[in-house]
Amino acid sequence: MGMKGRANRQRIVDAADQLFYARGYNQTSFSDISDQTGIPRGNFYYYFKTKEEILSAVVDARVAMAKLALDKLNKESSDPRQRLLSFANMPIENVDNIIRYGCPIGTLSSELIKEQEQEIPKSRTTAVFDVFLDWCMQQFSVLGFEQHRRFYAMDLLARLQGISVMANVYGDTEFIQRASKDLQDWITKITSH
């Protein structure tokens, strides 16, 4: 695939990513993606044979973005507590999108868990969460919570998802601010022992 082909493939993935987030996977068609990219629908088959292949590419792109975000947190601080506190700020950094569409990871994962025309492998539905879960567990391990690291990491991710869902449902930006601070207080409290 040449440079133009790679660029077109990336345009399809980027458009699908945005549409899956804004409309949902099931509500997005090849025609929608074609309209968004300006690439004729018939040309999609050169890059992707099925919608599931596009989804897989979108998940891969989101995993890569998640890893970049976590690498940035790792570079900003060597303190695992500070890293977790910064991680808890993610809803604040994405407040406009969360208010409008919810969490890009949680909404897609929830939708994919539900019945699909073609079964989506579970590993694809949890791929981004797995990246976050592993990273959070590493932080809790370094802080001395090896035995309970998964419990705390799952709790942190669940709280973040709850914040995103409630802020989205009620369109409440103040809630995101308050709940994120409460989450940071929780992290400080449990990691200060």
Side-chain angles (χ1 to χ4, degrees), residues 20 24-26 55 62 101-116 120 122 124-127 129 161-162 164-165:
F20 292 170
Y25 174 74
N26 290 324
L55 171 66
R62 289 186 181 190
Y101 305 117
C103 173
I105 301 155
T107 54
L108 183 62
S109 295
S110 294
E111 183 180 8
L112 295 178
I113 290 290
K114 297 173 187 169
E115 191 174 326
Q116 302 291 325
I120 308 295
K122 186 165 178 100
R124 301 314 291 164
T125 64
T126 63
F129 277 125
Q161 283 304 296
S164 295
V165 167

Side-chain angles (χ1 to χ4, degrees), residues 13 61 67 154 170 186 189:
V13 172
K67 288 179 178 179
M154 290 284 282
Y170 288 103
W186 173 79
K189 180 180 176 184

Side-chain angles (χ1 to χ4, degrees), residues 116-175:
Q116 302 291 325
E117 287 179 22
Q118 297 220 349
E119 189 160 325
I120 308 295
K122 186 165 178 100
S123 63
R124 301 314 291 164
T125 64
T126 63
V128 181
F129 277 125
D130 291 342
V131 170
F132 287 142
L133 183 64
D134 289 345
W135 182 85
C136 289
M137 288 193 309
Q138 290 171 9
Q139 307 316 305
F140 283 114
S141 285
V142 173
L143 288 166
F145 296 98
E146 181 67 32
Q147 186 176 358
H148 300 290
R149 67 190 182 135
R150 184 173 174 82
F151 172 81
Y152 286 134
M154 290 284 282
D155 205 25
L156 174 55
L157 292 177
R159 289 169 186 248
L160 282 169
Q161 283 304 296
I163 291 169
S164 295
V165 167
M166 296 307 288
N168 174 249
V169 167
Y170 288 103
D172 191 339
T173 56
E174 288 180 25
F175 172 76

